[in-house]
Amino acid sequence: MFEALSVVPRAELEARWAKVRRFLAETAPDAGGVLAFSRLNVYYLSGVLGAGCCWLPLEGEPVLLLRKGRERALLESALTRIAAFKSYKDLPALAAEAGSPFSEVIAAETTGLSWQLGQMLASRLSDRRFVSGDLALNLAQSLKSEWELNILRLAGERHHQALHDILPEVIRPGMSEREISHLAWQVFFTLGHQGLMRMSAFGEEIFLGHVSAGDSGNYPSVFNGPLGVRGEHPAAPYMGYAGKLWNRGEPLALDIGFALEGYCTDKTQLYWAGEEGEIPEAARSAHAFAMDVQAWAAENLRPGNTPEHIWLHCRDWAAKAGFAEGFMGLDENKVPFLGHGIGLAIDCYPAIAKGFDRPIEAGMVFALEPKIGVPGLGMVGVENTFEVTPSGGVCITGDDCRMLCIA
C-alpha cells in the first residue's frame, strides 16, 4: 500500500470552493456549477494534478472525473467523489451517480480546453448550455489563503537567498549564459526548487527563466515579458546561450522563478561585471528609476486601488522622466504591463495593466517588474513578489534591489 506524499487539507479545499461559488454567482449567474479542465484548476479544486476535469456544483460535493490517475487521486485528494471516464458523454451519468448531477447551464473553463476538445465536449453534451467560468476561477485563485501564503513566503525567502546571497559567490564575468544557467539550477535545486514551473496563458512556456548578459537583455524575444533573451536555441528560446559570454562592463539580468509545492514566486536580480564606479550613468539612473517605480507601485498595492491605476501612473511617470523608449522593453520587446498576479502559475490574474479595473484585495499576490532597456548595453531593472496587505504590498522575495557588482 502507498501513502500520499502530501494532501491539501479538506478545509482549504472547501474555502476554495466557496470562493469559486461566490464569484460564479456574480460572473455567470445562470450557471449551476463550474467544470474545470486545466490541470492547474483541477489541482486547485481537488488537490490532484489530474488528467480530466472537476465538476463543482453550486451546492453539494464536487466530483473529480479523470481519464487517468484515479488511484493516485484516491491517495492524494480530500474529495470523496472520484470517478474514471473514457468519453465526455460519460460525464453527466457519472456526476449524477456521485450525487452531484450536472446543471442545464454549465460554466466551463474555456481556456482549459483546445478548440478540438471544446467542440467535442459541446457535441457530447449537446443538451447542456455552456457559458464561461474562467473569470470566477481566476478571481478565486487571485485571493490566496493563509495556507497558500505560507508556501509563497517560504518560496520567496529561498528565492532571495538563491539570487542575492548564494549565486553571486559562484558566478563570474567570462562565464557563458549557459554556464550561469546551470549554476543557477544547482543553487535553486539545492534550496528545494521543484523544477517545474507553469504558465496559464495559452501557448506560453517557461524553463528556469531568462539569463541575459549584455545585449541579450534587448535581444528580440517571443516570451510575453520585457526582458530579451537569446536562449538555448531558436527551438528553445529560454534560459541562456552557450555562445554569449558575460563580459566586463555588462549587466547580467537573471529573471528566474522559484517554485515550491506548486506555487511560484518571481524575481529579477541584476548584476554588473566590474566595479560600481564603472556602471554607466544611463544604466545607473535607469535602474534607480526602476527601483523607485517598484517602491511606489508596492506602496499602492492596497485594497481599493486598481491594477489599471498603478500601470497608467507608472507608464506616464516613465514618459515624464525620459524613460519612455526603454520602459518595459525596447522596440517589439515592449509590453503593456508592469506586473502580474502569481501563484500556481507565473502569469496569474490579474495583470498590472490597462483594463484591469477591479479593485485590489488583501491576500492577492503580485510580481512587480519595472525594467528599462538601455540601447547598446542591455536591460536593467527589478522584479519582486509582493503580498497585498491593508497597508500596501509587502515584499516576500527580499528588499535589497541594488545591482550587485561582481569583479
Side-chain angles (χ1 to χ4, degrees), residues 192-216:
H193 189 299
Q194 67 186 23
L196 181 64
M197 291 182 290
R198 297 183 173 91
M199 304 286 289
S200 61
F202 177 78
E204 291 288 352
E205 298 178 316
I206 191 167
F207 182 70
L208 176 67
H210 288 15
V211 176
S212 300
D215 66 354
S216 285

Side-chain angles (χ1 to χ4, degrees), residues 12-24:
E12 170 68 19
L13 292 180
E14 289 177 350
R16 296 177 183 185
W17 304 339
K19 283 189 290 186
V20 174
R21 285 164 170 155
R22 172 164 62 92
F23 288 122
L24 194 64

